[in-house]
Amino acid sequence: MQRQVALIKQSLFDQGYLDEQFMELEELQDDANPNFVEEVSTLYFKDSARLINNIDQALERGSFDFNRLDSYMHQFKGSSTSIGANKVKAECTKFREYCRAGNAEGCLRTFQQLKKEHSTLRKKLEHYFQLARQAGPKETARRPK
Amino acid sequence: MTVEQNFEALDQFPIGMRVLAVDDDQTCLRILESLLRHCQYNVTTTNQAQKALELLRENKNKFDLVISDVDMPDMDGFKLLELVGLEMDLPVIMLSAHSDPKYVMKGVTHGACDYLLKPVRIEELKNIWQHVVRKNRGSNNGEKRDGSGNEGVGNSDQNSGRANRKRKDQYNEDEDEERDDNDDSSAAKKQRVVWTVELHKKFVAAVNQLGYEKAMPKKILDLMNVEKLTRENVASHLQKFRLYLKRISGVTNQQAIMANSDLHFLQMSSSLNGLDSFHHRPIPVGPGQFHGGAPPMRPFPSNGILGRLNTPSGIGVRNLSSPPAGMFLQNQTDLGKFHHVSSSLPLNHSDGGNILQGLPMPLEFDQLQANNNNNNNNNNNIRNMNNNKSIAGSSMAFPSFSTHQNSLIRAPNNNLVVLDGHPQASPPGFPGHQNNKRLEHWSNAVSSSTLPPPQTSNSIHHQFDVSPLPHSRPDPLEWNNVSSSYSIPFCDSASTMSPQALDTPNPGAFSRNTDFNSNANANAQPGGFYDSLQMRQSGNYGPTTDAMLSTNPKEGFVVGQQKLQSGGFMSADAGSLDDIVNSTMKQEQSQGELSGGDLGYGGFSSLRTCI
């Protein structure tokens, strides 16, 4: 079971869903904070869902206030970076570039992609945490070296 | 904190260092918190900048370091940075996902100790304690209250300094940083700093030297080289000063103003001094001057210092045609501070010309008398007082000053005299100079520690009911609120305080300021504190100054002196302010027409409207 968990995690990294930052977070997990990573992830997804909503609405309005969008995205990128959501972060960067270029079409496209990545990541992480919990907290907390 | 305590803290340091983390992003905040905990710091988090400020203000000694995100919805991170630096003088580290050098530069110019990029790594956080140490060293060196007070890395006479140095030696022998280590300096007993005119002068000089934009508390402190002055004192003073400047100049040409004010200040002080010869105390013979100027002076209510002067305008300085500034210039009275105040501030004359008129002279006169008696310097005063009394009897209708009765007491004599006698007394150009005056006054007032020592000023301060100056100037300065206690002080001081030679600056006055500082800081615009103080006082002075101006240079002088003495700077020496105003006014006047120009304090005739 633990091996399975480890494998899953490894694949997440390999596929680029997660990066080193995630590992850093795992480092922070300890006895005092046994579920730190999961907590942070949950927090992240909650926050980012809200952000995505905002952006969605902004885009739907069709007004394309690039500044506003850019600032939303900046925030999104910040938190994605903090938890190591690699692919999501990449999409954020792309989106911002389109914003700066004033490319509405590009923004829309990228945003769709971003949402996809985001939800994929979420599912994967949820799955991962679930398994990890089943496998036993202590073990899973340790980063596979 | 005692040396031992400091040492202990240092021993543990950086473990347990108290950090306040601010970030609107919950995810990042959580991660940051965890990272910091892993570094064994003591972490407090908040996702709102406002809340962070509250926490910091609530107890300045509660935190060693602040880490803040740059983009926050409720307040710009840089703004928070600035405020923290000024008010609490704590090291602040900026955090951002922006790696753009422009942001980093902005962080630096706003005084950040460091700028970290997200995602933050624990390795980076492991070293942030160095900023606290650095600041601490600087503050220790620069501000140790043990008396060495001199900045300089090698300052080892202080115990804490020694202790700190011991640690610092190991890490960073660097010299002063901008920030102070609150932990250390705040632990030490903080004396109320009285921003005397001289002190302020130094301060302004330092700021000018550094360049207004670049002036940072630590550097200013170093330049000032004043013992027992802490960076925090300077920081809060600087903040006020900036706000003050902004207020009067509209945030333009601040540097020019500063330069001018400085110059003006100097001029004023010199002029006052000159006049001083006449009376040992350069009493701002302003009262008359303010007469005419009252209305125009209004505009500067905020300039506390000037304000005071202005209020004397109530004294019927209708003729404030001649720029009171002139008076101040000439009046180098030691009142220095008051100089500016009086001349430039027609402020509070919301009461308008009535200020002077309203001087309840009789009452005050009595008090003045009392004060005078006590006043060693004021033999003349007594004499004057007598004279004044008679004058006072005369219909001084200073309705506005009723509140300031006490302070006015001094003035009354003078004011009365002035009013009646010298319409011209009103500081002519008052209005015009207001701006400048204010600055100058302010700076003068601050720096010129010539204000008579508030002998009883402290007590006096409180005596007055807080009722703020009658002329509630539009001065937004919180001073009105805060200083309510101050507004009257002058008057009170006059009464309670024996009018002592105004010669000596009133530390009390300054101390008031400091008190204000704390209050002011809390308020929206501490900057105008001087103004506010002055304003109040000027109100008090209003009538007085006139009186002082006109009739007796001496009287005015005396009165002013007394006032000055009592009031010290603002509050306490309502009298002194008046004196100052009066003298300053007088000076100006004299230039114009007062023969008695000996009032010397022209500048200060700060029309303590309290007359």
Side-chain angles (χ1 to χ4, degrees):
Chain A
M1 185 69 162
Q2 285 169 29
R3 209 153 57 104
Q4 199 181 357
V5 171
L7 280 175
I8 291 182
K9 181 147 65 154
Q10 195 56 43
S11 80
L12 284 175
F13 280 108
D14 291 340
Q15 291 170 35
Y17 284 103
L18 296 174
D19 60 20
E20 302 79 32
Q21 185 60 23
F22 194 80
M23 291 191 219
E24 296 264 348
L25 294 186
E26 294 195 304
E27 292 268 303
L28 292 177
Q29 190 157 296
D30 55 16
D31 290 343
N33 291 304
N35 299 313
F36 178 69
V37 188
E38 190 176 349
E39 280 170 22
V40 174
S41 297
T42 313
L43 203 53
Y44 166 71
F45 283 112
K46 196 158 59 118
D47 251 0
S48 53
R50 188 178 44 87
L51 265 178
I52 288 181
N53 246 350
N54 288 341
I55 301 179
D56 251 335
Q57 285 174 10
L59 287 174
E60 262 170 44
R61 273 199 293 268
S63 51
F64 282 100
D65 178 355
F66 288 116
N67 281 334
R68 185 108 153 278
L69 290 173
D70 189 60
S71 103
Y72 278 139
M73 201 45 72
H74 171 74
Q75 212 180 334
F76 200 179
K77 183 173 172 212
S79 42
S80 304
T81 315
S82 296
I83 78 153
N86 206 22
K87 290 204 174 182
V88 177
K89 184 174 66 164
E91 294 299 327
C92 287
T93 310
K94 259 201 268 173
F95 185 98
R96 295 188 77 200
E97 277 167 20
Y98 281 122
C99 267
R100 264 170 266 176
N103 186 341
E105 163 88 28
C107 282
L108 281 170
R109 257 189 297 120
T110 312
F111 189 59
Q112 297 309 319
Q113 189 66 19
L114 191 152
K115 279 196 282 188
K116 212 163 62 128
E117 292 292 345
H118 183 256
S119 92
T120 307
L121 181 65
R122 172 150 70 188
K123 286 204 214 83
K124 286 191 188 266
L125 275 180
E126 276 173 7
H127 178 61
Y128 166 73
F129 284 126
Q130 205 174 13
L131 281 180
R133 255 183 276 126
Q134 286 172 17
K138 270 238 165 146
E139 267 88 29
T140 54
R142 261 180 249 119
R143 179 178 14 167
K145 285 277 191 280
Chain B
M1 230 154 102
T2 64
V3 177
E4 298 72 32
Q5 286 171 346
N6 281 343
F7 215 86
E8 276 171 24
L10 288 172
D11 281 346
Q12 289 267 320
F13 195 84
I15 289 175
M17 183 174 81
R18 299 156 304 174
V19 183
L20 175 65
V22 190
D23 192 335
D24 64 312
D25 185 325
Q26 293 282 6
T27 312
C28 297
L29 191 61
R30 184 82 173 78
I31 296 175
L32 183 61
E33 181 185 17
S34 179
L35 286 170
L36 291 169
R37 291 242 157 86
H38 270 82
C39 296
Q40 295 185 285
Y41 301 142
N42 186 309
V43 189
T44 308
T45 61
T46 173
N47 63 346
Q48 286 171 22
Q50 281 301 334
K51 187 82 176 63
L53 272 177
E54 274 169 33
L55 284 171
L56 288 166
R57 281 171 180 158
E58 176 188 332
N59 184 355
K60 296 196 179 177
N61 303 340
K62 221 164 154 200
F63 299 103
D64 298 307
L65 180 73
V66 178
I67 297 188
S68 165
D69 184 34
V70 166
D71 325 278
M72 289 191 286
D74 64 333
M75 184 193 291
D76 181 28
F78 294 116
K79 183 81 177 5
L80 176 66
L81 159 64
E82 239 182 14
L83 288 175
V84 172
L86 278 178
E87 291 185 25
M88 294 106 203
D89 207 21
L90 281 174
V92 181
I93 294 180
M94 301 308 293
L95 258 191
S96 178
H98 286 295
S99 57
D100 189 348
K102 281 205 299 269
Y103 281 84
V104 182
M105 176 61 90
K106 204 167 172 198
V108 170
T109 56
H110 281 72
C113 281
D114 205 350
Y115 191 103
L116 303 177
L117 294 180
K118 287 183 182 175
V120 180
R121 297 194 317 272
I122 197 165
E123 294 79 16
E124 290 173 345
L125 292 178
K126 285 216 169 106
N127 283 333
I128 58 175
W129 57 264
Q130 66 178 283
H131 300 295
V132 175
V133 167
R134 199 173 289 131
K135 211 177 226 281
N136 198 14
R137 280 186 92 216
S139 75
N140 279 344
N141 289 335
E143 307 172 352
K144 250 337 155 148
R145 282 179 208 74
D146 301 349
S148 46
N150 288 322
E151 41 295 356
V153 177
N155 221 355
S156 51
D157 11 30
Q158 298 131 9
N159 294 334
S160 346
R162 233 180 293 129
N164 287 330
R165 281 225 339 252
K166 203 168 153 201
R167 285 230 170 235
K168 290 169 188 164
D169 287 344
Q170 307 172 26
Y171 310 111
N172 204 351
E173 211 50 73
D174 195 357
E175 75 315 334
D176 52 281
E177 292 286 325
E178 287 297 10
R179 313 297 171 89
D180 201 356
D181 182 354
N182 265 4
D183 195 342
D184 191 271
S185 49
S186 53
K189 188 175 54 132
K190 284 217 169 76
Q191 296 283 346
R192 269 278 167 235
V193 167
V194 173
W195 280 93
T196 62
V197 179
E198 278 158 15
L199 200 59
H200 180 71
K201 226 202 288 198
K202 276 191 187 168
F203 168 81
V204 174
V207 174
N208 276 336
Q209 191 176 333
L210 293 168
Y212 177 71
E213 296 297 332
K214 293 221 184 72
M216 296 296 276
K218 182 65 169 82
K219 291 200 179 116
I220 296 173
L221 184 68
D222 291 347
L223 278 177
M224 283 175 72
N225 197 11
V226 172
E227 287 187 21
K228 298 198 169 50
L229 191 65
T230 70
R231 195 205 312 265
E232 283 183 41
N233 298 136
V234 175
S236 67
H237 192 69
L238 176 65
Q239 186 180 29
K240 296 199 183 90
F241 188 55
R242 280 195 175 134
L243 289 172
Y244 166 78
L245 290 179
K246 280 198 178 129
R247 203 194 321 270
I248 53 182
S249 71
V251 194
T252 51
N253 264 346
Q254 281 173 1
Q255 300 193 5
I257 291 173
M258 286 201 42
N260 286 341
S261 60
D262 231 3
L263 180 61
H264 200 109
F265 168 72
L266 290 176
Q267 288 175 330
M268 292 193 33
S269 47
S270 54
S271 58
L272 280 176
N273 289 335
L275 289 176
D276 201 0
S277 54
F278 177 83
H279 299 279
H280 32 278
R281 186 174 281 297
I283 296 182
V285 188
Q289 300 170 359
F290 294 99
H291 225 297
M297 302 212 275
R298 297 286 175 78
F300 298 95
S302 51
N303 292 327
I305 302 183
L306 289 177
R308 277 207 293 183
L309 292 176
N310 293 331
T311 48
S313 57
I315 303 187
V317 179
R318 303 245 170 62
N319 308 327
L320 282 181
S321 45
S322 56
M327 283 194 16
F328 290 104
L329 284 179
Q330 302 163 10
N331 301 330
Q332 285 224 339
T333 61
D334 37 28
L335 291 180
K337 282 197 285 209
F338 293 102
H339 298 302
H340 342 284
V341 175
S342 49
S343 51
S344 50
L345 297 174
L347 306 180
N348 308 313
H349 295 294
S350 41
D351 302 15
N354 292 332
I355 297 180
L356 290 176
Q357 277 101 28
L359 290 178
M361 307 238 318
L363 287 174
E364 297 160 349
F365 192 77
D366 290 334
Q367 293 179 343
L368 262 179
Q369 287 283 4
N371 292 332
N372 285 335
N373 292 330
N374 299 331
N375 215 348
N376 21 342
N377 285 350
N378 302 327
N379 297 333
N380 290 338
N381 291 342
I382 294 177
R383 246 182 298 117
N384 293 332
M385 297 282 301
N386 294 326
N387 294 335
N388 291 337
K389 219 183 219 170
S390 50
I391 298 174
S394 45
S395 58
M396 289 283 284
F398 295 103
S400 55
F401 291 98
S402 46
T403 55
H404 305 289
Q405 306 237 346
N406 295 333
S407 53
L408 290 180
I409 295 182
R410 295 219 199 226
N413 301 329
N414 301 325
N415 293 329
L416 284 179
V417 177
V418 175
L419 286 175
D420 300 345
H422 310 262
Q424 335 165 22
S426 53
F430 221 38
H433 299 262
Q434 291 156 3
N435 286 329
N436 292 334
K437 295 290 172 67
R438 275 201 289 193
L439 273 177
E440 294 155 1
H441 293 303
W442 192 65
S443 44
N444 289 339
V446 180
S447 43
S448 60
S449 36
T450 52
L451 282 182
Q455 287 112 20
T456 54
S457 52
N458 292 325
S459 53
I460 294 182
H461 293 302
H462 304 293
Q463 296 182 4
F464 270 119
D465 48 29
V466 171
S467 50
L469 302 171
H471 16 267
S472 43
R473 277 189 290 197
D475 184 328
L477 294 177
E478 47 291 4
W479 294 102
N480 285 329
N481 310 327
V482 178
S483 51
S484 50
S485 52
Y486 287 103
S487 47
I488 314 286
F490 276 86
C491 299
D492 283 333
S493 49
S495 47
T496 57
M497 295 194 4
S498 48
Q500 307 197 2
L502 290 173
D503 303 326
T504 50
N506 273 327
F510 288 103
S511 51
R512 266 310 147 94
N513 294 331
T514 51
D515 291 336
F516 270 127
N517 290 338
S518 46
N519 293 329
N521 287 336
N523 294 328
Q525 309 242 356
F529 74 95
Y530 278 114
D531 294 339
S532 49
L533 284 178
Q534 308 220 338
M535 293 202 7
R536 272 196 289 204
Q537 299 183 340
S538 39
N540 298 335
Y541 287 107
T544 353
T545 48
D546 281 343
M548 293 188 14
L549 282 178
S550 54
T551 48
N552 289 327
K554 272 198 196 159
E555 287 184 354
F557 180 77
V558 173
V559 173
Q561 289 184 348
Q562 294 173 356
K563 296 212 188 109
L564 286 174
Q565 294 178 352
S566 50
F569 181 51
M570 300 263 225
S571 45
D573 298 314
S576 43
L577 266 186
D578 287 343
D579 294 339
I580 297 178
V581 173
N582 288 338
S583 54
T584 46
M585 299 227 8
K586 199 96 209 291
Q587 293 194 358
E588 292 190 348
Q589 288 255 333
S590 32
Q591 296 178 6
E593 26 214 19
L594 279 184
S595 47
D598 20 65
L599 277 189
Y601 277 110
F604 284 95
S605 22
S606 46
L607 305 173
R608 288 211 293 188
T609 44
C610 344
I611 304 185

